[in-house]
Amino acid sequence: MIELKNADLTLGQAAASVHVLKGMSLSIGTGESVGIVGPSGSGKSTLLMVLAGLERLDSGEITIAGTPLHGLSEDRVAEFRGRNIGIVFQSFHLIPNMTALENVAVPLELANVRNAFEIARQELVSVGLGERLSHYPGQLSGGEQQRVAIARSLAPSPKLLIADEPTGNLDAETGRQIADLIFSKQAERDMTLILVTHDASLAARCSRQVRVRSGEIVDDGSGPMKDAGAHRSAVVTA
């Protein structure tokens, strides 16, 4: 699903510049669930933005589902992202003056999908919000807002789901429910899932963990089989 080769990226200018990604290479297979972990400032969220096509590399290559994003224009990357990549953020990023139904329909309308509102309705029902279609974000709890965001990310039927601290703004129980929903949808639709989190128990639910430190991948999770087995066991028992 993803092939990242020698990815290099510096953010900022002159004295304020920061070398964020330092020659990262990473392969992620179709249907994998991968947790990206590491200390604050390690580059994991920037790596996620690169994998989502939201940050362009200074050098290196990124290929997703056979498409080399590094060779595409900004418009073509945006078009590819809209069709193939769903993104869930920590802060929901819902449009406040739109209902839940309208928020979920937005990416479909932008892609000129004819039955956008019917698909949006089905997605909201599938995440347990069938009774909240006409509610605005301000009328929903944090957990409900994140469910709307998940429904929106799933509406275009993406091959890749990317989540950046999806439970970070939620209490423990609500966060567990949202995590359950994300993993169940990933399994149900056979999507590839990439997840950035500070929550060790959430990362352990992934089939593989990639550890990032100081802009470099220090462990890509493809170590001894006993480690992979421990991760698989965590998925079953979490």
Side-chain angles (χ1 to χ4, degrees):
M1 177 57 67
I2 295 173
E3 190 70 39
L4 187 69
K5 293 183 179 179
N6 301 317
D8 217 85
L9 177 62
T10 296
L11 298 177
Q13 306 250 334
S17 66
V18 179
H19 195 183
V20 185
L21 304 185
K22 303 171 183 176
M24 284 188 176
S25 294
L26 180 66
S27 293
I28 296 174
T30 300
E32 274 197 281
S33 58
V34 177
I36 299 177
V37 298
S40 296
S42 61
K44 59 186 184 300
S45 288
T46 302
L47 171 60
L48 202 71
M49 293 301 99
V50 167
L51 298 179
L54 292 170
E55 284 282 2
R56 293 185 76 87
L57 295 172
D58 294 332
S59 63
E61 302 178 358
I62 176 168
T63 300
I64 298 179
T67 298
L69 297 193
H70 55 277
L72 300 182
S73 67
E74 293 279 2
D75 288 345
R76 291 291 302 278
V77 169
E79 181 183 337
F80 176 87
R81 183 172 57 246
R83 292 196 315 269
N84 297 282
I85 303 174
I87 308 174
V88 179
F89 296 98
Q90 177 177 346
S91 300
F92 319 139
H93 289 302
L94 301 179
I95 302 170
N97 61 347
M98 286 188 174
T99 65
L101 184 65
E102 290 167 338
N103 266 281
V104 177
V106 163
L108 300 172
E109 290 189 294
L110 291 174
N112 296 314
V113 175
R114 187 172 301 174
N115 54 338
F117 279 86
E118 177 55 27
I119 294 172
R121 186 192 69 78
Q122 293 171 3
E123 293 293 356
L124 284 166
V125 169
S126 80
V127 299
L129 292 179
E131 304 300 316
R132 293 284 205 248
L133 304 183
S134 61
H135 286 64
Y136 292 90
Q139 298 172 312
L140 302 172
S141 69
E144 288 172 333
Q145 289 186 63
Q146 193 63 298
R147 286 175 184 270
V148 174
I150 291 169
R152 180 182 58 191
S153 73
L154 296 176
S157 298
K159 298 174 183 176
L160 172 63
L161 181 62
I162 288 178
D164 189 5
E165 298 282 4
T167 63
N169 279 348
L170 306 173
D171 62 76
E173 177 56 25
T174 304
R176 185 191 63 76
Q177 294 171 3
I178 291 298
D180 288 348
L181 178 62
I182 288 173
F183 280 101
S184 68
K185 291 298 181 184
Q186 186 244 343
E188 174 188 311
R189 304 186 186 206
D190 198 27
M191 296 180 293
T192 302
L193 171 65
I194 303 177
L195 171 70
V196 159
T197 182
H198 283 96
D199 184 340
S201 64
L202 181 56
R205 295 184 64 168
C206 295
S207 57
R208 177 177 161 204
Q209 293 184 49
V210 172
R211 299 186 182 279
V212 179
R213 185 181 305 133
S214 300
E216 299 179 325
I217 293 174
V218 295
D219 182 359
D220 69 0
S222 59
M225 185 58 67
K226 63 180 182 179
D227 291 342
H231 294 161
R232 281 196 295 271
S233 175
V235 173
V236 173
T237 59

